[in-house]
Amino acid sequence: MSKKSGHIAELIASCQGRELDAHYLGYFECFNRQLFYEAHDVLEELWLTQRHGPNDGFYKGLIQFAGAFVHLQKNRLGPAAALLRLSRKYLSGYPATHERLKISMLLGYIDDWLKKLASDGGTNPLQKNAPPVLEILNTV
């Protein structure tokens, strides 16, 4: 087992026994700690078991959203914008709230970061702006 998979396994284990899937919860824990690559990895493990199911595009959209911030951390602005657009495409097919996440708010974040990327004259907006904090609703 690699260090990465061990770290991910620990994170997932810490989220077990809650109402929602531990991988899904782990995504938010990682994302909000700005561990964007790990957020991508954790949710990808869940997505791989549920490809072509009703949450296929939802999970892909969240994975792409985290991936965009991986690219921002590496100062790859073009790929970050491409992943934000792809994330928007996947998530826009879901209702305003899905799996206790406000999709409408997430789409707003995507649009905001796309505007920042377009208007910052080639500078990385992550250098001047904190990434969004994603929250799961307590009730449906």
Side-chain angles (χ1 to χ4, degrees), residues 9 19 26 45 50 54 61 84 89 108 117:
E19 188 176 340
E45 284 190 18
Q50 298 189 15
L84 286 169
K89 176 185 163 194
L117 280 164

Side-chain angles (χ1 to χ4, degrees), residues 59-77:
Y59 294 143
K60 281 186 204 175
L62 291 176
I63 290 166
Q64 300 304 328
F65 187 67
F69 283 90
V70 170
H71 283 297
L72 287 172
Q73 286 177 322
K74 295 180 179 190
N75 208 34
R76 298 178 189 153
L77 306 186

Side-chain angles (χ1 to χ4, degrees), residues 2-127:
S2 72
K3 288 183 183 180
K4 181 176 76 168
S5 60
H7 175 71
I8 290 170
E10 281 180 34
L11 182 88
I12 293 167
S14 74
C15 294
Q16 292 290 346
R18 300 185 196 169
E19 188 176 340
L20 298 169
D21 187 280
H23 292 81
Y24 183 65
L25 294 172
Y27 172 87
F28 294 95
E29 294 234 357
C30 288
F31 191 95
N32 291 337
R33 289 191 224 165
Q34 298 181 24
L35 301 171
F36 304 118
Y37 184 81
E38 289 83 353
H40 164 281
D41 250 10
V42 168
L43 194 58
E44 187 175 58
E45 284 190 18
L46 176 60
W47 171 73
L48 287 171
T49 67
Q50 298 189 15
R51 280 181 289 183
H52 310 297
N55 283 329
D56 181 50
F58 176 66
Y59 294 143
K60 281 186 204 175
L62 291 176
I63 290 166
Q64 300 304 328
F65 187 67
F69 283 90
V70 170
H71 283 297
L72 287 172
Q73 286 177 322
K74 295 180 179 190
N75 208 34
R76 298 178 189 153
L77 306 186
L83 286 181
L84 286 169
R85 287 189 291 274
L86 191 56
S87 176
R88 179 172 234 309
K89 176 185 163 194
Y90 286 124
L91 294 170
S92 63
Y94 289 86
T97 300
H98 184 73
E99 296 293 325
R100 293 175 38 184
L101 177 66
K102 283 191 172 185
I103 301 298
S104 55
M105 184 175 61
L106 188 54
L107 293 174
Y109 290 151
I110 291 169
D111 291 342
D112 183 48
W113 280 87
L114 284 169
K115 286 177 191 169
K116 288 174 183 172
L117 280 164
S119 67
D120 277 348
T123 61
N124 188 337
L126 192 57
Q127 295 171 350

